[in-house]
Amino acid sequence: MKKAKVCISLKAGLLDAQGKTIKSALESLGFKGVREVRVGKYLEIDLDQSFAKPSLRREVERMCHKLLANPVIERYHITLDDNGR
Amino acid sequence: MKKAKVCISLKAGLLDAQGKTIKSALESLGFKGVREVRVGKYLEIDLDQSFAKPSLRREVERMCHKLLANPVIERYHITLDDNGR
């Protein structure tokens, strides 16, 4: 089995209200030195062995474009795990 | 500035309804070979330079335990970026 890990986050410059809230919460819990927090989604996708390495990455990129991320406001980073790398 | 990236996801064996929905959506879009999708949170935390390497990881682990994750049902993975590594 092959595993793809996808990290999706808001592009730089866009307001991240959830991140600001978490930053405030961390500060009120006494954590010092936090400059910024940005929140996004994390997905682990298990795929059949049948995909070859380059086509696997392309396929996951297509998934991101079509469903998982909004490429207008979000950026994503794909990591192929273990034997999928 | 130092950056910590935190990936938080449900522990194995716990029902991930959102992941199941995404899997169905991918299949209905024509993507084949998807066995499982698991969804979690992704956080990027920018921190002051003042933290030393070992204390930085400890600090982020404390944040996860106190606020960011629920250690009972969630696992998390911390990556310290660039000069924070």
Side-chain angles (χ1 to χ4, degrees), chain A:
Chain A
M1 199 182 53
K2 292 179 177 180
K3 190 186 279 281
K5 297 177 178 179
V6 185
C7 295
I8 303 168
S9 54
L10 278 174
K11 284 184 179 170
L14 289 169
L15 176 70
D16 183 346
Q18 203 184 349
K20 280 195 190 302
T21 307
I22 291 176
K23 178 177 180 282
S24 306
L26 285 172
E27 283 166 349
S28 69
L29 283 171
F31 289 102
K32 308 245 183 272
V34 179
R35 288 209 191 158
E36 195 183 9
V37 178
R38 296 191 67 83
V39 184
K41 281 171 284 184
Y42 171 66
L43 293 115
E44 283 183 6
I45 306 172
D46 292 345
L47 293 142
D48 278 348
Q49 285 290 359
S50 53
F51 290 100
K53 182 179 139 188
S55 70
L56 180 60
R57 183 174 287 277
R58 261 203 313 276
E59 195 73 352
V60 178
E61 276 173 6
R62 278 186 57 225
M63 291 177 190
C64 287
H65 265 86
K66 284 202 149 189
L67 181 75
L68 306 177
N70 176 352
V72 178
I73 57 166
E74 290 173 326
R75 60 191 162 79
Y76 56 84
H77 180 255
I78 299 167
T79 314
L80 302 179
D81 214 32
D82 299 324
N83 48 359
R85 191 182 295 274

Side-chain angles (χ1 to χ4, degrees), chain B residues 3 80-85:
Chain B
K3 192 186 280 278
L80 303 179
D81 214 31
D82 298 325
N83 48 359
R85 192 183 293 273

